[in-house]
Amino acid sequence: MKTFKSKKSKVIATCMAVIAAVCIICVTLAGCKSPLIGDTALGVYFVGDFQDNIDDATLQSITRDGANIISIESAFEQANIDPNTDLAKAAAAIYAVAVTNYNNVTQSGFYILTNANVIAKNVSALAGNDANVDIRSTYSSFTGKKGSFSQTVSGVTKLQGLGNLGDMLKKNFGYNIQSFSNSSFSANRRGPNGGAQFPPVDNEEGIDVYKYILGAFNDGLTETTKGGNVSITPASEQNTDKPIPEYEPAAGAKYPEDSTLAGVNLPDFNKNRKAWEPLNRVPSRYWDGDTLIEDGAVVEGTRYSYGTYGAGFAVYDFSRPNYLSDDTKVSYNKDLDLWTVEIKVKDEFVNQACEFAAGDLIRDTQGYIGLKNAKYTEISCRFEVYGNGLIKSMQKRDVLKSDEKCPLKAIPLPATCNGGGVTSNTATLAFSYSDNDTNAERLAALYWPELGQDKIFNDKKVSTALKLDLSGYVNFDNYEPVVNEALRDQFTDIFATK
């Protein structure tokens, strides 16, 4: 079963990588105005219909033509799995079903908020001191009947150890981006970072954080209306990207000798896999047997691979029961018809199960630090899937460490991290499938209303006939977001500050 060829999955996979790339650029924000930063309210993941279930009629109406949505109960029955005793098999099946079903619906909304940290140890150019950077970033993507809308907002929340070098980096600002596309045109804009804002709920400025996507905003982005930071491209002038093909390795093929998994067998590929069976590996950089066809992400002599297992959020291979330990937990909430899985990976399979997650994190931080032969020191993941087989949320944390000397790349001077370094990432993801949450025009009316006006099209010398009719939507000033408090209060945030 081929599950990666939908445009939605490809866009999300690409943009998830963009988040971390934006984060790294934001490291250079030293010397900018102090951003407004507080604890992100849990309610931002439950605005509107996010994380709410949908009824059978709605699910049927958004199921892709020719596709089937497999429920968790049906998967258990067909695979002969008892979720009370076969915990590893049940967890793997739930994950596989959620990934498969995600690409079989025609509309979805997707949130992710990440808190990343990079530590460079014993830096030569910093008198042997450590450099420590925290970055908070949000990414959101919405695809539905009215097109697609996405937004990234990112900012540094801690910058320690660079000293006076911060002044040298003032000109190197990060950025935030928004995009909109429908069948007629695509539009993109990029603004300077200057310090993303993450106000707490009870802030002195009186800002309603729920009016902003994941509570994050940046004035520099919304003030960007024309010039080189904005592009509008009619559909007739767009280049259509070819989908990433699924790759079928030869039977018994192994990772090449210069990879981090040298000598290990590549996972089996199943052309006719059922929804609950192990997912196929879909690399963005891949090997044909022992021959590297396209270079992977090379970081100072260490080659890492990256890709997905069929959907942008699925950078782990948790679909193979033999990878999972007996400590894996599977529970069911009858009132919500909700399955919750807390993954525990066997030590001997961490590298295989987290191959792409490690590759993504190392690749996306290589603009700051070139970690060599980094190894996992921590991996945790909990996800929720409704009984109908649609994913509700995911929380995950990855920590990778290297004790080998490596270059510090975030400063304009040659610098060596004599003590190696650490990169980590904590993320919370939430999903929605409702018409309202996935309405790209509604989101444009809130966060990019200029797309409904002549000026921006005239400025870019594009026909104003393409502009959106946003007259029927609520604007930002009149927007009154509603938080689903009932769902929020039943959600356990495993990363909440104690």
Side-chain angles (χ1 to χ4, degrees):
M1 179 179 296
K2 298 190 176 184
T3 59
F4 192 71
K5 295 192 176 181
S6 72
K7 179 179 179 182
K8 173 185 67 176
S9 180
K10 183 180 179 183
V11 167
I12 290 177
T14 301
C15 292
M16 286 184 71
V18 169
I19 298 174
V22 171
C23 294
I24 300 311
I25 297 174
C26 292
V27 168
T28 61
L29 285 172
C32 299
K33 67 180 182 179
S34 298
L36 177 63
I37 298 169
D39 290 335
T40 298
L42 185 62
V44 300
Y45 302 107
F46 295 92
V47 175
D49 298 315
F50 261 81
Q51 298 202 51
D52 203 359
N53 203 355
I54 58 177
D55 58 36
D56 292 341
T58 301
L59 179 56
Q60 184 175 358
S61 71
I62 65 172
T63 299
R64 196 175 303 280
D65 289 343
N68 293 311
I69 301 297
I70 306 298
S71 70
I72 302 302
E73 182 179 4
S74 176
F76 286 165
E77 289 178 353
Q78 296 184 63
N80 194 27
I81 294 173
D82 183 346
N84 298 308
T85 58
D86 302 329
L87 296 182
K89 290 182 179 180
I94 293 171
Y95 183 75
V97 166
V99 173
T100 303
N101 284 341
Y102 185 74
N103 281 326
N104 286 335
V105 294
T106 58
Q107 63 185 40
S108 65
F110 171 93
Y111 282 157
I112 177 171
L113 185 147
T114 68
N115 284 288
N117 173 252
V118 179
I119 300 173
K121 296 185 176 183
N122 189 5
V123 181
S124 58
L126 303 177
N129 293 322
D130 294 350
N132 193 329
V133 180
D134 283 353
I135 312 103
R136 187 177 303 172
S137 302
T138 70
Y139 172 72
S140 54
S141 176
F142 313 86
T143 299
K145 300 178 180 68
K146 299 293 185 177
S148 298
F149 181 91
S150 68
Q151 175 178 287
T152 298
V153 176
S154 181
V156 171
T157 58
K158 180 173 69 176
L159 183 56
Q160 297 177 343
L162 293 182
N164 293 332
L165 284 174
D167 292 334
M168 301 172 60
L169 303 173
K170 288 182 180 179
K171 64 180 180 180
N172 298 319
F173 291 97
Y175 61 91
N176 301 288
I177 55 178
Q178 284 180 331
S179 66
F180 174 91
S181 65
N182 60 16
S183 59
S184 299
F185 73 96
S186 64
N188 297 276
R189 68 175 173 178
R190 184 181 73 183
N193 193 302
Q197 309 293 293
F198 295 90
V201 173
D202 299 321
N203 60 83
E204 295 180 358
E205 290 77 4
I207 298 170
D208 183 353
V209 301
Y210 297 118
K211 295 183 75 167
Y212 298 90
I213 298 173
L214 289 173
F217 67 94
N218 176 270
D219 291 336
L221 176 60
T222 56
E223 292 170 358
T224 303
T225 57
K226 63 179 182 178
N229 291 331
V230 175
S231 66
I232 297 180
T233 307
S236 59
E237 300 177 15
Q238 294 176 14
N239 293 322
T240 303
D241 293 334
K242 294 181 179 179
I244 298 174
E246 287 197 341
Y247 168 70
E248 182 178 358
K254 299 179 183 296
Y255 289 91
E257 292 303 318
D258 58 358
S259 79
T260 54
L261 289 167
V264 176
N265 284 335
L266 285 164
D268 293 335
F269 187 97
N270 184 356
K271 286 183 176 180
N272 301 308
R273 60 168 294 272
K274 296 180 174 60
W276 56 86
E277 293 178 338
L279 297 163
N280 288 325
R281 181 176 178 274
V282 187
S284 296
R285 299 292 185 268
Y286 49 90
W287 294 271
D288 183 3
D290 291 335
T291 302
L292 186 66
I293 292 187
E294 185 175 359
D295 285 344
V298 180
V299 182
E300 291 297 316
T302 302
R303 177 167 288 132
Y304 301 94
S305 52
Y306 48 95
T308 77
Y309 290 90
F313 68 87
V315 294
Y316 304 100
D317 189 0
F318 294 151
S319 63
R320 300 176 195 278
N322 60 305
Y323 286 2
L324 308 182
S325 80
D326 293 336
D327 294 330
T328 294
K329 298 179 181 178
V330 178
S331 59
Y332 178 68
N333 183 321
K334 184 176 180 180
D335 292 336
L336 294 177
D337 188 22
L338 183 68
W339 292 90
T340 300
V341 178
E342 295 184 36
I343 291 290
K344 300 294 181 183
V345 182
K346 294 177 181 177
D347 291 343
E348 62 267 32
F349 289 111
V350 167
N351 289 335
Q352 289 97 310
C354 305
E355 173 198 359
F356 290 151
D360 279 344
L361 190 52
I362 297 297
R363 177 191 60 174
D364 293 333
T365 55
Q366 66 178 332
Y368 178 73
I369 186 172
L371 290 181
K372 298 174 66 175
N373 299 314
K375 303 295 182 184
Y376 262 97
T377 61
E378 183 181 344
I379 166 67
S380 59
C381 182
R382 189 198 67 171
F383 57 90
E384 299 177 308
V385 179
Y386 279 113
N388 57 20
L390 295 183
I391 188 166
K392 171 182 178 287
S393 77
M394 176 183 284
Q395 289 190 289
K396 61 194 185 78
R397 176 172 170 78
D398 300 278
V399 182
L400 288 149
K401 178 183 178 182
S402 173
D403 294 322
E404 299 187 30
K405 289 184 179 181
C406 59
L408 177 63
K409 301 180 178 181
I411 62 177
L413 294 173
T416 299
C417 307
N418 293 304
V422 178
T423 181
S424 64
N425 187 56
T426 298
T428 299
L429 299 79
F431 300 83
S432 177
Y433 308 90
S434 74
D435 286 345
N436 189 59
D437 284 344
T438 61
N439 188 330
E441 290 185 353
R442 182 187 73 87
L443 292 156
L446 290 174
Y447 305 113
W448 200 352
E450 293 85 358
L451 292 178
Q453 302 165 11
D454 289 342
K455 186 178 185 304
I456 192 172
F457 293 88
N458 286 330
D459 286 342
K460 305 310 296 183
K461 296 180 173 55
V462 176
S463 172
T464 57
L466 297 176
K467 71 178 182 181
L468 302 177
D469 180 5
L470 302 179
S471 59
Y473 297 102
V474 173
N475 61 29
F476 186 83
D477 290 339
N478 296 322
Y479 176 38
E480 296 182 0
V482 176
V483 176
N484 189 329
E485 296 179 354
L487 273 180
R488 179 199 62 189
D489 293 344
Q490 295 186 68
F491 183 80
T492 301
D493 184 0
I494 61 176
F495 301 128
T497 302
K498 303 299 181 182

